[in-house]
Amino acid sequence: MKDETSSFAARLKANALAVETLLAELLGPDPCTDEIARPAILFDAMRHGVLNGGKRLRPFLVSESTAVLGGSADAALRIGAALECVHCYSLVHDDLPAMDNDDVRRGKPTVHVAFDEATAILAGDSLLTLAFDIVAAPETPLSDRQKTELVLALARASGHGGMAGGQALDLAAERKTPDEAGIVTLQAMKTGALIRFACEAGAIIADAGIEDRRRMRSFGEKIGLAFQLADDLLDLTADAAVMGKATGKDAARGKGTLVALHGQSWAERELEKLVAQAEELLAPYGARSAVLAETARFVANRRS
Amino acid sequence: MKDETSSFAARLKANALAVETLLAELLGPDPCTDEIARPAILFDAMRHGVLNGGKRLRPFLVSESTAVLGGSADAALRIGAALECVHCYSLVHDDLPAMDNDDVRRGKPTVHVAFDEATAILAGDSLLTLAFDIVAAPETPLSDRQKTELVLALARASGHGGMAGGQALDLAAERKTPDEAGIVTLQAMKTGALIRFACEAGAIIADAGIEDRRRMRSFGEKIGLAFQLADDLLDLTADAAVMGKATGKDAARGKGTLVALHGQSWAERELEKLVAQAEELLAPYGARSAVLAETARFVANRRS
């Protein structure tokens, strides 16, 4: 058990390093084809927002779901980097004074604090745009059909009907606490959509059939729900120093969460159920899916 | 001459109406495949930002450059709508208090005034994301190769090496007036890149060869420069009521423009030169390119 955990941790860390290295390369000083110039301040802000030493859970899910189905690891790394650009842009914008007004993230000043609000807005916009650039770029070793499918799926997961829409619902939830159905929709959009995309992307990258694609998508939904429940539990219990950001903010703002509605022990049972369902979805892949199954447990049990 | 002008105006208006109708459809209340929900406030804000009765010059350029080279008019309309989403997102974000702090656009309150800053940020983010959604969607009648090329070209024109990067340079120009080379780069990025994309997109949609693509791209560069010079002239001379927005702001902020450096009559001569070069680039297409040539003249002579 100890070996399994430490090998999982090593694998997660190695992938995070590969993602960080690729993102640093993509955000280097030299303009690509069709770029006119790379303004230094904007790039410093983009790097500040994205090269933050995160766990890179979403890219890991892309890589591991691709590995289970036998797709290109290089392509998975690039799609993971694109997805991380979307995730990081959303953090940069969510931290803005007009949104969650957070000064610190992962123990560092947020982009608008380290630079200024205008630069943070533009850095977020540019990271979002870069995500689609990376998917479509000639360096991504996928067919045009796969790239088109990934662009569409990423846009749907990120935009008005996914993550950005979820953030809009989250802002509305500060004014009026949503009912249970409203909370479920909000969370499926705000955090679930990108995690679901991460797993479904593996099936697209591996050019898998419809059955595998549905299975990976359902797996992504389960761990998206687990991720959010674990997050809500952490918000209740974690120490701000461990999280590297302010905690207890959801409760302070009166935002509804399922944990607040049903209690901590309900949430812990629910997490066990979700992990079991996620593992069941992976059953047909046998030992090949051991790391992905471990990821589901990691997501449910994470303490930071 | 009068007939030519009025038929041009009618064609521009008909295209703007088609773009507006398509955008209104795309921003309807019902979620598409893979969208979880469409939050009402966010959609109201997106519609406010994009259904603004604009001239839709960029979509017109996509449609007319496509028509010259014999591509699908339906595809051109959809790519034009996608491009307009990018243009409108940039206006929504540029108007924010942290950026240009504008309260009025086209005689209406800007999005952050009509709604709030957070909603304006999210509406802009969602419009940018929607642009890539539209390009990749199955409803766009183009091959996956064409879609991939369009996604990449649009991302490069819009992102850190194009429009967003140009806005970053523009903010820097308020602190330190750039030299002539700096102004040229700033303008090529901030306004030139999307206009160049509009014309190059026609060649991609028509699946034209490399020579036609280069020609359309150069044509786009010429009218991009003309658009900016005309804009700078307007900023000096126009009446705020005609423009529907605050004018004379560039001078008030000490921003450098080529008109400020070289004077009004230099700019007028330069505009004539650019129009002549643009028309020369279209010469091989003969009468088929009459409307596109007229568009170059329209851009150079526009008074609002």
Side-chain angles (χ1 to χ4, degrees):
Chain A
M1 187 64 195
K2 199 189 160 208
D3 275 2
E4 192 192 327
T5 307
S6 67
S7 111
F8 174 80
R11 194 154 171 154
L12 181 62
K13 204 172 165 184
N15 193 268
L17 185 64
V19 171
E20 191 101 1
T21 304
L22 175 56
L23 286 167
E25 256 177 56
L26 290 164
L27 292 168
D30 299 326
C32 291
T33 316
D34 281 351
E35 291 179 8
I36 296 163
R38 294 194 154 192
I41 293 180
L42 179 63
F43 270 71
D44 286 345
M46 291 168 77
R47 278 189 288 263
H48 187 97
V50 84
L51 303 177
N52 56 16
K55 284 188 296 295
R56 314 299 186 184
L57 176 65
R58 292 160 193 77
F60 188 68
L61 287 168
V62 177
S63 287
E64 292 299 334
S65 57
T66 301
V68 168
L69 297 169
S72 152
D74 275 4
L77 184 63
R78 288 184 60 90
I79 301 306
L83 178 53
E84 197 65 10
C85 287
V86 172
H87 174 57
C88 291
Y89 117 74
S90 80
L91 300 180
V92 173
H93 280 189
D94 287 4
D95 286 340
L96 286 166
M99 302 261 242
D100 294 349
N101 196 20
D102 280 318
D103 290 347
V104 178
R105 179 169 291 278
R106 296 187 183 284
K108 286 200 308 182
T110 48
V111 177
H112 65 92
V113 171
F115 296 83
D116 56 43
E117 275 183 61
T119 305
I121 294 166
L122 290 170
D125 294 345
S126 299
L127 286 171
L128 172 57
T129 312
L130 176 60
F132 295 103
D133 182 324
I134 297 170
V135 177
E139 290 80 5
T140 300
L142 293 170
S143 71
D144 292 322
R145 181 179 51 70
Q146 287 168 305
K147 289 179 183 181
T148 301
E149 282 184 30
L150 286 164
V151 166
L152 186 61
L154 181 58
R156 297 262 157 109
S158 313
H160 56 249
M163 185 187 68
Q167 178 66 4
L169 292 177
D170 204 39
L171 292 169
E174 286 181 30
R175 294 185 291 266
K176 182 173 178 298
T177 303
D179 60 11
E180 179 158 4
I183 295 170
V184 168
T185 300
L186 186 167
Q187 296 187 338
M189 293 173 79
K190 189 177 173 181
T191 55
L194 281 201
I195 291 174
R196 185 176 79 180
F197 168 83
C199 300
E200 192 172 1
I204 301 173
I205 294 165
D207 223 351
I210 187 76
E211 170 58 29
D212 287 324
R213 185 158 168 179
R214 278 202 196 120
R215 201 168 272 279
M216 281 300 168
R217 192 180 155 92
S218 300
F219 174 80
E221 280 171 5
K222 299 298 176 197
I223 62 168
L225 290 168
F227 183 91
Q228 186 62 54
L229 276 180
D231 214 52
D232 292 344
L233 278 173
L234 278 167
D235 191 73
L236 273 185
T237 60
D239 180 82
V242 174
M243 291 289 279
K245 64 176 183 180
T247 55
K249 292 186 77 160
D250 295 350
R253 291 177 185 181
K255 278 186 193 177
T257 70
L258 296 181
V259 176
L261 275 183
H262 298 296
Q264 187 168 342
S265 54
W266 171 87
E268 282 160 359
R269 283 195 308 278
E270 196 64 20
L271 275 172
E272 279 174 36
K273 241 190 275 175
L274 287 165
V275 168
Q277 290 168 343
E279 288 179 329
E280 204 180 300
L281 282 161
L282 298 180
Y285 309 117
R288 272 186 297 154
S289 63
V291 180
L292 203 51
E294 179 64 25
T295 313
R297 292 190 288 275
F298 170 79
V299 164
N301 299 323
R302 76 202 172 90
R303 289 290 166 267
S304 69
Chain B
M1 187 65 195
K2 199 188 161 207
D3 275 1
E4 192 192 328
T5 308
S6 68
S7 112
F8 174 80
R11 194 154 171 153
L12 181 62
K13 203 171 165 184
N15 193 268
L17 186 63
V19 171
E20 191 101 1
T21 305
L22 175 56
L23 286 167
E25 258 177 56
L26 290 165
L27 293 169
D30 299 326
C32 292
T33 314
D34 281 350
E35 291 179 8
I36 296 162
R38 294 195 155 193
I41 293 180
L42 179 63
F43 269 72
D44 287 344
M46 290 168 78
R47 279 190 288 264
H48 188 96
V50 83
L51 303 176
N52 56 16
K55 284 188 297 293
R56 314 296 187 185
L57 175 67
R58 291 160 195 78
F60 188 68
L61 287 168
V62 177
S63 287
E64 293 300 334
S65 57
T66 301
V68 167
L69 297 169
S72 152
D74 274 3
L77 184 62
R78 288 184 60 90
I79 301 305
L83 179 52
E84 196 66 9
C85 286
V86 172
H87 174 58
C88 291
Y89 117 73
S90 80
L91 300 180
V92 173
H93 281 189
D94 287 3
D95 286 340
L96 285 166
M99 303 260 244
D100 294 349
N101 196 18
D102 279 318
D103 291 346
V104 177
R105 179 171 290 279
R106 296 187 183 285
K108 286 200 308 180
T110 48
V111 177
H112 65 93
V113 171
F115 296 83
D116 56 43
E117 275 184 60
T119 306
I121 293 166
L122 290 170
D125 294 343
S126 299
L127 287 170
L128 171 57
T129 312
L130 177 59
F132 295 102
D133 182 325
I134 297 170
V135 176
E139 291 79 4
T140 299
L142 293 170
S143 71
D144 291 322
R145 181 179 51 72
Q146 288 169 305
K147 289 179 183 181
T148 300
E149 283 183 28
L150 286 164
V151 166
L152 186 61
L154 181 57
R156 297 262 157 109
S158 313
H160 55 249
M163 184 187 67
Q167 178 67 4
L169 293 177
D170 204 38
L171 292 169
E174 285 181 30
R175 293 186 291 267
K176 182 173 178 297
T177 304
D179 60 11
E180 179 157 6
I183 296 170
V184 169
T185 300
L186 185 167
Q187 295 186 339
M189 293 173 81
K190 189 177 173 181
T191 54
L194 280 200
I195 291 173
R196 185 177 78 178
F197 168 82
C199 300
E200 192 172 1
I204 301 173
I205 294 166
D207 224 350
I210 188 75
E211 169 58 29
D212 286 325
R213 187 159 167 179
R214 279 202 196 120
R215 200 169 273 280
M216 280 299 168
R217 193 180 155 93
S218 300
F219 174 80
E221 280 172 5
K222 299 296 178 198
I223 61 169
L225 289 168
F227 182 91
Q228 187 61 54
L229 277 180
D231 214 52
D232 291 344
L233 278 173
L234 278 167
D235 191 73
L236 273 185
T237 58
D239 182 81
V242 172
M243 291 287 280
K245 64 176 182 180
T247 54
K249 292 184 78 161
D250 295 347
R253 292 177 185 181
K255 278 188 196 177
T257 70
L258 297 180
V259 176
L261 276 182
H262 299 295
Q264 186 167 344
S265 54
W266 171 87
E268 282 160 358
R269 283 195 309 277
E270 195 64 20
L271 275 172
E272 278 174 37
K273 240 190 273 175
L274 287 165
V275 168
Q277 291 168 341
E279 288 178 328
E280 205 178 300
L281 282 162
L282 298 180
Y285 310 115
R288 273 184 298 154
S289 64
V291 180
L292 203 51
E294 178 64 23
T295 313
R297 293 190 288 275
F298 170 79
V299 164
N301 299 323
R302 76 204 172 88
R303 288 290 164 267
S304 69

